[in-house]
Amino acid sequence: MITLHGKDGDLMVDVEFWRNKKVFVTGHTGFKGSWLCLWLHLMGAKVTGYSLKPPTNPSMFDLCRIDELVNSHYADVRNQEKLIHSMLESAPDIVIHMAAQPIVRASYQNPVETFEINVMGTVNVLEAVRIVSDAGVPIQAVLNITTDKCYQNFEWSWGYRENDRLGGFDPYSNSKACSELITDSYRHTFFSTKKDHGQKVALASARAGNVIGGGDWASDRLIPDCIRSVLNQNKMKIRFPKAVRPWQHVLEPLHGYLILLQRLANDGDKFAEAWNFGPNDEEVRTVQWVVEEFYKKWGRNATFEIDHHDDKPIEATFLKLDCSKAKQKLNWNPVWSLNTAIDKIVEWTRAFEDKRDLRKMSLNQIRDYIKDVNKYGH
């Protein structure tokens, strides 16, 4: 039995809600999507995934044999016709949109593709929801996953709140701000349950901090670069050692998404808004601190150096989220410290190195997280 309890005994993540629930996930072959599919499968949900093939080799999706657990449609989110067909065929109760071009540096190299995927991909998903709902499929809730980088970054020392200005100078951040605006437009124009016309679909967006965890193999991302350096015994270069980010284990925001989706399905417009999911202030650390802590925990003469080249893409120096709204209204709270998150990454990576069953390892980490939520989280 998987049940998370909140204050006064309120159910948080309720397995009975998710058991046999039909869930449509775009981007399910990615790192974050793979963890979500495992958690949904553990609760008995019927998951349909819509995505391109896994974006990396190795990938968590392949290593955990997730294709055996979900019904996968391999197609591009920019293909609206296939997207609508797949959604009609699966007739979901819940839609979670994760498909994206997620790398800041790649957005400098391919800005047009980044905008096509992150902007028009969002339009296509929400338009598919509108068409499928109009055809009689009773979709209850939709969640668009964006990023903490959707805010215009003023290098403030305090955290950004959901009503702060959207922006972003690099193509990735800017495209995600656009995705937020598209979500707001569809919510008010087509999906509001307060109106007499349109579909009654509760639509929200979620902005998570810098997500880390075992199974991430993306290029130009800090923890995967650390992992490659220790496995290949290469010296790692870090570009922005003093950059400060809101680091959190991948299960933290996923926990928030699941709680939010339950509230959307049950209470509609009350929760159809934008939501931040990030760590507590003491877990907001520099890039160099994270690298040093990972190498210390790995413990095998791993080394790094600072990349002093001037041709690095521009990135924000300081970024923090204010998650008061999720804490107060959803009773969601971070559970694992950054130290614990890094411990779990080292544990997962050692299992990969030893060729152990990574699906079993990942499911056990989800169970560990659930136990800690019940023990410490609320």
Side-chain angles (χ1 to χ4, degrees), residues 88-111:
L88 273 171
E89 184 179 295
S90 62
D93 305 299
I94 304 287
V95 175
I96 307 171
H97 176 41
M98 285 187 165
Q101 192 298 94
I103 307 298
V104 172
R105 199 167 190 180
S107 76
Y108 282 98
Q109 298 162 349
N110 297 294

Side-chain angles (χ1 to χ4, degrees), residues 45-62:
K46 297 179 179 178
V47 181
T48 296
Y50 182 97
S51 180
L52 297 175
K53 292 282 188 177
T56 61
N57 184 20
S59 72
M60 181 168 176
F61 186 82
D62 288 334

Side-chain angles (χ1 to χ4, degrees), residues 225-269:
D225 286 347
C226 287
I227 290 170
R228 278 186 286 268
S229 76
V230 297
L231 292 178
N232 299 325
Q233 299 181 357
N234 294 330
K235 183 179 287 189
M236 178 185 169
K237 290 186 178 182
I238 56 176
R239 297 187 298 272
F240 301 100
K242 295 181 181 179
V244 176
R245 296 289 183 268
W247 311 98
Q248 60 185 333
H249 193 275
V250 62
L251 295 179
E252 299 279 21
L254 294 185
H255 176 206
Y257 303 164
L258 294 172
I259 295 169
L260 175 55
L261 283 160
Q262 288 175 193
R263 301 309 296 266
L264 286 168
N266 293 330
D267 299 305
D269 275 345

Side-chain angles (χ1 to χ4, degrees), residues 31-44:
F31 157 64
K32 205 171 175 182
S34 294
W35 276 100
L36 176 63
C37 286
L38 283 175
W39 196 337
L40 289 170
H41 172 76
L42 192 61
M43 295 189 292

Side-chain angles (χ1 to χ4, degrees), residues 88-272:
L88 273 171
E89 184 179 295
S90 62
D93 305 299
I94 304 287
V95 175
I96 307 171
H97 176 41
M98 285 187 165
Q101 192 298 94
I103 307 298
V104 172
R105 199 167 190 180
S107 76
Y108 282 98
Q109 298 162 349
N110 297 294
V112 173
E113 181 180 69
T114 298
F115 279 105
E116 285 177 348
I117 295 170
N118 295 350
V119 177
M120 287 310 299
T122 302
V123 172
N124 287 342
V125 169
L126 297 183
E127 187 66 7
V129 169
R130 188 173 75 87
I131 291 169
V132 169
S133 296
D134 198 42
V137 176
I139 297 174
Q140 298 172 307
V142 180
L143 183 60
N144 179 25
I145 309 302
T146 63
T147 175
D148 56 354
K149 296 176 181 64
C150 68
Y151 295 105
Q152 184 166 340
N153 196 310
F154 296 100
E155 304 288 350
W156 289 332
S157 59
W158 55 87
Y160 292 91
R161 295 172 297 179
E162 288 86 349
N163 58 354
D164 280 326
R165 183 174 179 177
L166 298 173
F169 298 112
D170 63 88
Y172 168 73
S173 303
N174 192 280
S175 70
K176 285 299 193 174
C178 292
S179 180
E180 285 282 352
L181 292 172
I182 292 162
T183 303
D184 193 58
S185 174
Y186 267 78
R187 176 167 49 236
H188 287 93
T189 307
F190 301 114
F191 298 144
S192 175
T193 60
K194 296 176 183 176
K195 296 182 179 180
D196 293 332
H197 65 280
Q199 290 76 27
K200 311 304 183 186
V201 179
L203 169 62
S205 62
R207 306 160 182 177
N210 280 51
V211 174
I212 59 176
D216 189 1
W217 303 96
S219 59
D220 289 316
R221 199 178 275 166
L222 187 65
I223 290 298
D225 286 347
C226 287
I227 290 170
R228 278 186 286 268
S229 76
V230 297
L231 292 178
N232 299 325
Q233 299 181 357
N234 294 330
K235 183 179 287 189
M236 178 185 169
K237 290 186 178 182
I238 56 176
R239 297 187 298 272
F240 301 100
K242 295 181 181 179
V244 176
R245 296 289 183 268
W247 311 98
Q248 60 185 333
H249 193 275
V250 62
L251 295 179
E252 299 279 21
L254 294 185
H255 176 206
Y257 303 164
L258 294 172
I259 295 169
L260 175 55
L261 283 160
Q262 288 175 193
R263 301 309 296 266
L264 286 168
N266 293 330
D267 299 305
D269 275 345
K270 285 184 182 180
F271 295 88

